[in-house]
Amino acid sequence: MPIYAYKCDACGHAMDALQKMSDAPLTDCPQCGKPALHKQVTAAGFQLKGSGWYATDFKGGGAAASPAAAAAPASDAAPPAACGASCACH
Protein backbone atom coordinates (compact mmCIF):
# COMPACT_ATOMS: atom_id res chain seq x y z
CA MET A 1 0.00 0.00 0.00
CA PRO A 2 1.29 3.47 -0.84
CA ILE A 3 2.04 6.18 1.69
CA TYR A 4 0.45 9.53 0.90
CA ALA A 5 1.57 12.90 2.27
CA TYR A 6 -1.13 15.34 3.40
CA LYS A 7 -1.06 18.95 4.56
CA CYS A 8 -3.78 21.06 6.12
CA ASP A 9 -4.38 24.42 4.46
CA ALA A 10 -5.97 25.82 7.62
CA CYS A 11 -3.38 25.05 10.32
CA GLY A 12 -0.36 23.78 8.33
CA HIS A 13 -0.37 20.32 9.98
CA ALA A 14 1.54 17.77 7.82
CA MET A 15 1.09 14.00 8.04
CA ASP A 16 1.58 10.75 6.15
CA ALA A 17 -1.17 8.16 5.69
CA LEU A 18 -0.90 4.53 4.62
CA GLN A 19 -3.88 3.98 2.30
CA LYS A 20 -5.06 1.70 -0.45
CA MET A 21 -5.05 3.26 -3.91
CA SER A 22 -8.84 2.77 -4.02
CA ASP A 23 -9.42 4.62 -0.70
CA ALA A 24 -10.96 8.09 -0.82
CA PRO A 25 -8.55 10.94 -0.01
CA LEU A 26 -8.60 12.20 3.57
CA THR A 27 -10.22 15.62 4.02
CA ASP A 28 -10.56 16.31 7.76
CA CYS A 29 -7.45 17.47 9.62
CA PRO A 30 -6.78 15.49 12.82
CA GLN A 31 -5.11 18.58 14.38
CA CYS A 32 -7.75 21.29 13.88
CA GLY A 33 -10.74 19.26 12.63
CA LYS A 34 -11.36 21.46 9.57
CA PRO A 35 -11.98 19.90 6.13
CA ALA A 36 -8.83 21.47 4.66
CA LEU A 37 -6.54 18.43 4.29
CA HIS A 38 -5.02 17.96 0.80
CA LYS A 39 -2.65 15.44 -0.77
CA GLN A 40 0.87 16.67 -1.47
CA VAL A 41 2.90 15.81 -4.57
CA THR A 42 5.96 13.82 -3.50
CA ALA A 43 8.88 12.13 -5.23
CA ALA A 44 8.96 8.40 -5.83
CA GLY A 45 10.65 6.38 -3.11
CA PHE A 46 12.83 4.37 -5.49
CA GLN A 47 15.03 4.75 -8.56
CA LEU A 48 15.49 2.30 -11.40
CA LYS A 49 19.22 2.04 -12.17
CA GLY A 50 21.42 -0.30 -14.12
CA SER A 51 21.06 -1.95 -17.49
CA GLY A 52 18.09 -4.20 -16.74
CA TRP A 53 14.81 -4.51 -18.62
CA TYR A 54 13.73 -0.94 -17.79
CA ALA A 55 16.83 0.65 -19.35
CA THR A 56 16.83 -1.55 -22.43
CA ASP A 57 13.11 -1.85 -23.16
CA PHE A 58 11.47 1.38 -22.03
CA LYS A 59 14.01 4.20 -22.33
CA GLY A 60 13.69 6.19 -25.52
CA GLY A 61 9.95 6.73 -25.81
CA GLY A 62 8.66 3.15 -25.82
CA ALA A 63 11.01 1.74 -28.45
CA ALA A 64 13.83 -0.57 -27.47
CA ALA A 65 17.05 1.34 -26.86
CA SER A 66 20.17 0.41 -28.75
CA PRO A 67 22.59 -1.95 -26.95
CA ALA A 68 25.33 0.71 -27.04
CA ALA A 69 23.08 3.26 -25.31
CA ALA A 70 21.99 0.75 -22.66
CA ALA A 71 25.60 -0.24 -21.90
CA ALA A 72 26.80 3.34 -21.32
CA PRO A 73 27.02 4.06 -17.58
CA ALA A 74 24.99 6.98 -16.29
CA SER A 75 27.91 8.25 -14.19
CA ASP A 76 29.75 9.48 -17.32
CA ALA A 77 27.38 12.43 -17.64
CA ALA A 78 28.22 15.64 -15.82
CA PRO A 79 25.82 16.50 -12.95
CA PRO A 80 23.41 19.38 -13.53
CA ALA A 81 24.86 22.73 -12.52
CA ALA A 82 21.91 23.52 -10.27
CA CYS A 83 22.40 20.58 -7.89
CA GLY A 84 26.15 20.91 -7.38
CA ALA A 85 26.51 17.10 -7.28
CA SER A 86 25.40 17.01 -3.62
CA CYS A 87 21.93 15.57 -4.21
CA ALA A 88 20.65 12.09 -5.08
CA CYS A 89 19.59 12.95 -8.64
CA HIS A 90 22.50 11.10 -10.25
Side-chain angles (χ1 to χ4, degrees):
M1 279 195 296
I3 299 173
Y4 295 103
Y6 286 90
K7 186 172 184 181
C8 179
D9 291 338
C11 69
H13 176 70
M15 60 178 262
D16 292 334
L18 181 67
Q19 295 180 287
K20 292 181 183 177
M21 293 178 75
S22 60
D23 287 348
L26 301 176
T27 56
D28 295 335
C29 177
Q31 188 77 23
C32 67
K34 295 181 181 177
L37 204 60
H38 295 285
K39 277 186 182 178
Q40 299 293 297
V41 177
T42 58
F46 66 95
Q47 290 182 332
L48 299 173
K49 292 186 175 184
S51 60
W53 64 270
Y54 176 78
T56 57
D57 293 346
F58 292 104
K59 279 189 178 176
S66 67
S75 62
D76 289 347
C83 73
S86 62
C87 66
C89 69
H90 45 279

